[in-house]
């Protein structure tokens, strides 16, 4: 659990008088916001990692990492000299692979050649933890047609395979051209090889007939995508291998006479949701966390027009939209990206003035029940204390102990394997502190500790 999350969890449990004023609500759930980063250069992709870091790209050509426990921000890759950022192009999609011995980051960015040709590439970088920087670029796919608009560029890693959206690059006929990588969803493995199970032998093309898909998320064994239409028919699609999604011959559903024959002949997949007029779909996630119960089993879609989140409740098979609600219209500017974490917190990348990353969360959600706390029988004595405090668990074995001040700074973290621990304070100043203890059975308890001079 992150330092920052542990702090908020303890604070909500032991300081019941702590005043939290929510700024927004979703149904009966009151939500608060926190600005994570501001004055950015068009943030495009955000990714949360389990070590309580937030990674994000800026279209100008930078990759950043923020340590959420300290708020410290580091530029881990500066590619401004290599990236061509004009209009909607630049450093765009990103995906992380941190479960292997060598952590890697995959990035989509646009560039120009010496002959002024405009392309997009997908590259792999090694994350050097010691230097906190990205090194060792390996190009996985190159020469994808690019433009100042319609570049797609969302990346998702599923079972060690990369799925990548590409736009039509302003040339609509490329989407149906199986000799072109434009207007497609591509699939390669994370080393750059083409899977033998791809629908076209020797080709990275996985599906085609896309205009400009800028959302991609995998959940419920389904690959969901959000796609920009022209002036009509923004779409939510379920991506399937070897299928045609219609563009430019079909917009939205196969509901016009001139579209229906093409749909029959070309194995076209209709969207599960379409909007006319368009809402300017950007990215989407699947949300199913009890922190915001009104959004459980919902696709959450960020949009650029009217700058809002669309919450789409899914049916029990997760492949059909039952209802749609809209939230936060025009609150923060154009909503470019959305991410979540294991705590049910939402992170938004805004393209407004200023460009920001915002956290949206339920400050009262802890994930702990009162039964967890009552069954622990944890004693602290003396409390208030001066030089030391004895911590004793009557029932459960303590595995980890952390101490925080009220500003959220972690002052102590130690591993245990005992029912008792004597903690000495040293130079600890007088005041109120928060003590968090993890037990061997997976439960957690938090207590208020008062230190006197």
């Amino acid at each position: 659990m992150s330092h920052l999350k542990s702090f908020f969890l303890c604070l909500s449990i032991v300081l019941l008088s702590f005043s939290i004023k929510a700024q927004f609500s979703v149904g009966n759930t009151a939500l608060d916001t926190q600005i994570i980063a501001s004055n950015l250069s068009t943030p495009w992709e955000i990714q949360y990692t389990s070590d309580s870091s937030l990674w994000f790209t800026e279209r100008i050509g930078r990759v950043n990492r923020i340590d959420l426990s300290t708020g410290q921000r580091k530029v881990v890759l500066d590619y401004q000299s290599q990236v061509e950022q004009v209009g909607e192009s630049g450093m765009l999609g990103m995906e992380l692979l941190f479960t292997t011995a060598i952590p890697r980051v995959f990035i989509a960015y646009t560039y120009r050649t010496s002959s002024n040709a405009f392309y997009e590439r997908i590259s792999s970088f090694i994350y050097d933890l010691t230097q906190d920087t990205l090194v060792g670029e390996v190009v996985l796919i190159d020469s994808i047609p690019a433009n100042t608009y319609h570049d797609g560029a969302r990346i998702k890693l599923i079972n060690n395979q990369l799925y990548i959206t590409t736009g039509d690059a302003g040339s609509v006929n490329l989407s149906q051209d199986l000799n072109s990588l434009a207007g497609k969803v591509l699939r390669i493995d994370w080393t750059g090889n083409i899977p033998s199970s791809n629908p076209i032998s020797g080709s990275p093309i996985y599906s085609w007939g896309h205009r400009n898909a800028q959302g991609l998320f995998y959940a419920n064994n389904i690959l969901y995508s959000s796609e920009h239409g022209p002036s009509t028919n923004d779409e939510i699609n379920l991506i399937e291998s070897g299928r045609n999604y219609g563009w430019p011959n079909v917009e939205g559903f196969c509901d016009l006479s001139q579209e229906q024959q093409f749909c029959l002949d070309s194995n076209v997949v209709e969207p599960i949701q379409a909007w006319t007029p368009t809402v300017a779909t950007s990215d989407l996630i699947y949300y199913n966390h009890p922190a915001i119960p009104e959004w459980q089993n919902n696709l959450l879609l960020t949009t650029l027009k009217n700058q809002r989140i669309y919450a789409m409740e899914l049916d029990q098979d997760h492949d059909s939209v039952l209802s749609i609600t809209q939230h936060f219209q025009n609150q923060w500017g154009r909503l470019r990206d959305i991410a979540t974490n294991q705590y049910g917190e939402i992170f938004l990348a805004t393209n407004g003035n200023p460009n920001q990353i915002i956290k949206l969360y339920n400050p009262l959600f802890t994930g702990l029940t009162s039964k967890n706390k009552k069954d622990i029988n944890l004693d602290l004595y003396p409390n208030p204390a001066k030089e030391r405090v004895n911590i004793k668990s009557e029932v459960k074995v303590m595995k980890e102990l952390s101490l925080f001040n009220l500003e959220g700074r972690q002052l102590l973290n130690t591993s245990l394997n005992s029912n008792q621990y004597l903690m000495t304070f040293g130079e600890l100043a007088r005041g109120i502190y928060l003590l968090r203890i993890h037990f061997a059975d997976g439960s957690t308890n938090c207590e208020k500790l008062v230190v006197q001079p």
Side-chain angles (χ1 to χ4, degrees):
M1 178 178 292
S2 72
H3 299 169
L4 189 62
K5 182 61 183 179
S6 299
F7 165 69
F8 281 122
L9 186 151
C10 289
L11 193 64
S12 63
I13 293 175
V14 305
L15 298 185
L16 298 180
S17 61
F18 186 75
S19 175
I20 300 175
K21 181 179 179 181
Q23 296 176 318
F24 302 99
S25 63
V26 173
N28 295 320
T29 302
L31 302 178
D32 207 348
T33 59
Q34 177 186 354
I35 297 174
I36 303 297
S38 192
N39 298 313
L40 306 175
S41 181
T42 315
W44 206 90
E45 175 85 53
I46 45 178
Q47 296 275 336
Y48 180 91
T49 57
S50 59
D51 66 346
S52 190
S53 293
L54 198 69
W55 291 64
F56 66 94
T57 62
E58 294 176 279
R59 215 157 56 190
I60 197 173
R62 290 192 293 249
V63 179
N64 305 263
R65 187 185 69 83
I66 297 178
D67 184 338
L68 294 178
S69 64
T70 64
Q72 185 176 10
R73 173 186 164 194
K74 170 74 183 298
V75 177
V76 298
L77 180 69
D78 190 335
Y79 251 36
Q80 293 182 68
S81 61
Q82 289 94 324
V83 170
E84 177 75 0
Q85 199 275 301
V86 181
E88 298 174 9
S89 67
M91 184 164 281
L92 304 172
M94 174 179 62
E95 182 65 299
L96 311 178
L97 176 59
F98 285 177
T99 57
T100 55
I102 301 176
R104 297 180 186 276
V105 177
F106 306 96
I107 300 172
Y109 67 88
T110 57
Y111 67 98
R112 285 194 189 275
T113 67
S114 57
S115 61
N116 206 36
F118 203 5
Y119 291 117
E120 179 179 5
R121 68 165 54 115
I122 312 300
S123 287
S124 169
F125 295 82
I126 294 173
Y127 176 47
D128 185 329
L129 286 83
T130 303
Q131 300 297 322
D132 195 14
T133 189
L134 296 183
V135 297
E137 179 181 13
V138 175
V139 177
L140 304 181
I141 302 182
D142 210 345
S143 303
I144 301 169
N147 207 324
T148 58
Y149 55 93
H150 295 193
D151 292 314
R154 200 66 71 178
I155 309 174
K156 194 59 58 180
L157 181 68
I158 307 166
N159 298 325
N160 291 321
Q161 294 179 330
L162 293 170
Y163 293 75
I164 304 143
T165 69
T166 68
D168 66 15
S171 300
V172 297
N173 293 329
L174 294 180
S175 295
Q176 293 294 325
D177 183 354
L178 297 182
N179 293 311
S180 172
L181 298 182
K184 310 296 191 298
V185 173
L186 309 178
R187 182 174 71 169
I188 57 174
D189 70 24
W190 66 267
T191 66
N193 293 319
I194 296 172
S196 60
S197 58
N198 272 15
I200 302 173
S201 179
S203 171
I205 293 174
Y206 187 75
S207 65
W208 54 93
H210 299 284
R211 182 175 182 268
N212 188 25
Q214 290 191 335
L216 201 61
F217 197 85
Y218 182 75
N220 311 311
N221 294 315
I222 296 171
L223 185 58
Y224 301 94
S225 174
S226 53
E227 185 165 338
H228 290 279
S231 59
T232 62
N233 290 294
D234 279 349
E235 299 177 353
I236 303 296
N237 288 303
L238 310 183
I239 302 301
E240 301 176 19
S241 174
R243 299 297 298 274
N244 191 332
Y245 288 78
W247 177 256
N249 304 78
V250 181
E251 297 179 20
F253 300 103
C254 298
D255 53 0
L256 301 178
S257 58
Q258 64 268 29
E259 296 175 333
Q260 291 169 356
Q261 191 60 51
F262 183 86
C263 289
L264 290 173
D265 294 341
S266 303
N267 198 24
V268 169
V269 181
E270 293 185 288
I272 63 170
Q273 176 65 38
W275 286 271
T276 298
T278 55
V279 296
T281 55
S282 47
D283 199 13
L284 82 168
I285 61 171
Y286 175 73
Y287 190 90
N288 197 32
H289 198 284
I292 310 176
E294 292 85 352
W295 280 351
Q296 288 187 278
N297 193 34
N298 274 244
L299 292 176
L300 301 182
L301 172 75
T302 50
T303 65
L304 305 176
K305 288 184 180 178
N306 296 318
Q307 307 161 11
R308 67 187 80 179
I309 292 177
Y310 284 79
M312 292 169 277
E313 182 186 4
L314 299 177
D315 67 357
Q316 63 181 3
D317 294 326
H318 313 294
D319 59 4
S320 180
V321 176
L322 297 178
S323 63
I324 301 177
T325 56
Q326 302 176 30
H327 306 272
F328 319 122
Q329 179 173 343
N330 298 322
Q331 290 291 338
W332 301 297
R334 291 156 61 87
L335 301 184
R336 174 63 63 182
D337 197 26
I338 183 169
T340 189
N341 62 14
Q342 65 267 40
Y343 310 118
E345 299 166 334
I346 300 292
F347 298 90
L348 300 171
T350 73
N351 293 173
N353 188 16
N355 294 310
Q356 296 179 322
I357 294 177
I358 296 171
K359 183 173 78 171
L360 185 69
Y361 64 101
N362 177 358
L364 301 181
F365 179 79
T366 66
L368 295 181
T369 65
S370 58
K371 184 175 185 296
N372 293 138
K373 185 171 166 54
K374 290 178 181 178
D375 288 349
I376 290 172
N377 296 324
L378 186 71
D379 291 326
L380 276 66
Y381 57 90
N383 189 18
K386 291 186 177 181
E387 297 178 352
R388 61 183 64 86
V389 61
N390 193 64
I391 304 163
K392 186 176 182 180
S393 170
E394 297 291 344
V395 178
K396 300 182 179 183
V397 175
M398 299 184 289
K399 298 297 290 184
E400 182 185 37
L401 179 147
S402 299
L403 184 71
F404 303 86
N405 64 19
L406 292 186
E407 295 176 347
R409 182 179 297 276
Q410 187 178 61
L411 306 176
L412 172 69
N413 179 262
T414 186
S415 297
L416 305 172
N417 189 27
S418 173
N419 290 80
Q420 190 165 333
Y421 179 70
L422 180 65
M423 183 171 68
T424 56
F425 299 151
E427 300 298 323
L428 203 63
R430 64 176 295 180
I432 298 174
Y433 297 85
L434 305 177
L435 187 68
R436 183 207 69 195
I437 297 174
H438 288 319
F439 295 88
D441 67 352
S443 59
T444 302
N445 193 27
C446 297
E447 295 289 344
K448 178 171 65 176
L449 173 64
V450 179
V451 176
Q452 294 181 334

